[in-house]
Every structure is written in structure tokens, then in C-alpha cells.
Amino acid sequence: MLPAVKSDAVQSTVQTVYIATDRRVEGTGPAALIEQRFGEARDPQLRYGRIDISVPPTHVPGQIEWPGNRPPDPAQHFVARSGSRYANQYAFLKDIPRGDSGSVVLFVHGFNVNNAEAIYRLAQIAHDFETETPVISFSWPSAGDARGYVYDRDSVIFARDDLETLLLGLARDGRKTVILAHSMGGQLVMETLRQMSISGKGDALRPIAGVALISPDIDEDVFLRQATRISPFPEPFMLMVSTRDKALGLAALITGKPSRLGSIQDPSRLDGLPIEIIDLSDIEGGDRAGHSTAFTAPAAIRLLQELGPT
């Protein structure tokens, strides 16, 4: 649930996040619209919305200033200003500003992330990376629970068709799409691009203006098999990796493999693919697990502002 305020007294920065989700709606009425109450349950219907997030003037790059159990204060916290839902994809896409290029940034979150965390994280990324491009959160039904690894992996399979529906809609609308995917969200992106390619929908991949997989929680062998079936292969294509990623170390333990793609031990395995690897292992700061360094460590943010697709 997103904390909401109505006061405009504080000079905060407002970041709009557009939402496409196959999470089941929780609750009804005006409050549900503002708070975007989507839970962990899977919904066969893809739904669309938007929310305006207020970023406090005291914001520290890389952080999300949560109110916790306190009343939300726009002078100190990320808070929801207003929200709405759209009747269909047409209304959703029509409301997204086109700018000069018609580009959008599509963010696909990772494992153990609830809807509020997905939206606030994208608001933080868009704010800190100083992007003026409209941003969309594809919020797939993660359990938002550290014990839900298998549930989340199954939800990735469940969500492939819905992410495809969104990408097809963006292509038909003439949008150029930059995809940012974190952790298990990278698996969802690769599976979706692969199924689009082998099902004869490769033309819809051409408007993809770049892909960045951040700490991807993907088996290396699976990634290589996925990549060889994707045509045209999106470029530029970046992998942001770290050998200090403790979360991926745990994922490797769960899956019985020595490492995951986001902590790849032998980058030469990717030779022949048009992929740029950005090693964040030596970047200080960020989250303690080293799994979100790309958008929580100020040094990484400064680096990727220069290198990244946004």
C-alpha cells in the first residue's frame, strides 16, 4: 500500500510513474485508486494506472525515504500525491507524453518486491538518473516475501504473456522502449523477448532501443540459450554484474549452481553476443547485499548516468 498525502505546502519534486500490472486488485473506491492496492495474487487481466510520487527535498540519491509507521511527511518521505486507473491499454498509452522521440523507460522489478516497492524504486531511479523520459513499471505478481522464491519464479512464467502484450502495444503506438530489468525481472524479460521472437513477432522487438539487465538472476546456460533465439537482438544490451552480490550467491545456493548471470565468473562465455558488461564489484555504498548497487550507490548512479540508456 502506498502512503498518500494531499498537502502541497512542501516544494517536493513530483515523479509520475505509469503502471502495467497483472497483480490482483485489493480493495475498491477512491483510496484504492490513490494507493494502487495491488497484491501478490496473480490476475489474468492486465491492468493499467498511473501515480504521482512526491520526492522530498531532503532526498539522498540512492535512497527511498519511507515513512515507516509514522504519518507520511512530504518534507521527509516519498509519498503518493494522486493516482488513477485506465479502462484499457489504448487509454493508458494515449495519456503517456510522447516528447520528441516517443520514448519510454520500462522497469521490470525483481524477486521479493511488492507493488509499492516497485513503484517507489522506479520513482527513485527516474529522479536520481534525471531522466525526462516517461517511466512505466511492469509490476508482476511477486509475493514480496523472502520465502517466496519458487512462487516468484512461477510468477515470472505467468507474467510473460502480459509483458508481451505491453511490448506489442508500445510497438504499435510507435514508442521506442528502453528496458531496465532487475534481478529475477531479467529472467522475465529474456523469456518474453524469446517467445516474441520464436512466435513470429520479431518486428515488435525493433522499437526496443536498449536493454539493461541489473544483477540478473538467470542461469548462465539458460541465458545463452535464450539469447540465441532472440532476433533481432536489442542493442545496446548491457549486463550490470557484481561478484559481491550476496543475494545472487544465495540464489545460486538455492538452485545448486556456482553462480548466476549477475555474478558471472567467466565473461568470455558471452563472447559473440553484442553485450556490454559493466562490473560494479568495486563500487562502494549501496545496499548491504550488493544486489541493488546500480541504483542505490551514488558512485554507480554517477557512472551509469554517463553510460546508461536513460
Side-chain angles (χ1 to χ4, degrees):
M1 183 180 300
L2 302 180
V5 295
K6 297 181 179 179
S7 173
D8 293 318
V10 176
Q11 295 300 312
S12 302
T13 302
V14 176
Q15 177 65 54
T16 297
V17 175
Y18 295 90
I19 307 159
T21 183
D22 49 6
R23 296 174 183 263
R24 185 172 298 169
V25 180
E26 295 181 344
T28 59
L33 291 176
I34 295 175
E35 296 167 8
Q36 297 294 342
R37 294 177 183 171
F38 297 103
E40 75 281 357
R42 302 165 184 144
D43 192 330
Q45 180 178 349
L46 184 59
R47 302 177 188 276
Y48 303 93
R50 64 166 281 172
I51 194 158
D52 294 327
I53 302 295
S54 173
V55 180
T58 56
H59 169 66
V60 177
Q63 302 297 312
I64 299 175
E65 287 82 6
W66 293 95
N69 295 323
R70 295 171 293 173
D73 179 355
Q76 302 180 54
H77 309 130
F78 276 59
V79 294
R81 291 288 188 173
S82 60
S84 60
R85 296 186 191 165
Y86 300 97
N88 50 45
Q89 187 185 83
Y90 173 79
F92 171 71
L93 294 174
K94 185 178 179 181
D95 197 44
I96 299 176
R98 300 197 72 91
D100 294 332
S101 65
S103 298
V104 297
V105 173
L106 174 60
F107 178 64
V108 184
H109 65 78
F111 161 65
N112 184 21
V113 174
N114 62 39
N115 187 57
E117 291 167 339
I119 293 170
Y120 276 13
R121 177 60 71 193
L122 180 52
Q124 176 259 311
I125 293 171
H127 179 277
D128 290 353
F129 281 77
E130 300 177 353
T131 179
E132 296 181 0
T133 304
V135 295
I136 302 172
S137 171
F138 182 78
S139 184
W140 55 275
S142 165
D145 188 325
R147 299 166 297 179
Y149 192 81
V150 174
Y151 180 89
D152 279 15
R153 290 186 70 175
D154 288 344
S155 287
V156 162
I157 303 302
F158 173 86
R160 292 177 300 183
D161 291 351
D162 294 318
L163 180 54
E164 177 181 318
T165 295
L166 177 60
L167 289 173
L168 289 173
L170 288 167
R172 284 193 301 268
D173 198 45
R175 302 282 183 164
K176 296 179 181 179
T177 303
V178 173
I179 301 175
L180 306 181
H182 180 232
S183 184
M184 199 178 285
Q187 179 79 284
L188 173 53
V189 167
M190 291 300 294
E191 280 291 294
T192 302
L193 298 184
R194 176 185 180 275
Q195 80 173 27
M196 290 173 67
S197 180
I198 65 177
S199 64
K201 299 171 185 173
D203 285 347
L205 302 182
R206 299 186 191 282
I208 295 177
V211 174
L213 302 187
I214 304 163
S215 305
D217 185 3
I218 310 176
D219 181 282
E220 293 176 19
D221 296 330
V222 171
F223 176 79
L224 288 169
R225 181 61 63 90
Q226 291 166 328
T228 58
R229 298 304 302 274
I230 298 173
S231 179
F233 195 81
E235 296 187 55
F237 194 107
M238 294 189 293
L239 293 182
M240 301 180 193
V241 304
S242 173
T243 57
R244 298 168 60 183
D245 192 322
K246 297 177 183 178
L248 288 183
L250 179 58
L253 180 64
I254 292 172
T255 57
K257 299 286 285 185
S259 67
R260 307 294 280 171
L261 181 65
S263 54
I264 190 168
Q265 302 295 313
D266 182 12
S268 67
R269 296 195 68 197
L270 306 181
D271 287 351
L273 291 172
I275 292 175
E276 179 181 2
I277 298 177
I278 299 175
D279 191 343
L280 302 177
S281 301
D282 295 330
I283 297 290
E284 297 295 334
D287 63 311
R288 288 181 295 179
H291 192 50
S292 301
T293 300
F295 37 74
T296 59
I301 292 172
R302 288 193 296 270
L303 171 67
L304 297 174
Q305 279 175 332
E306 300 176 0
L307 297 179
T310 57

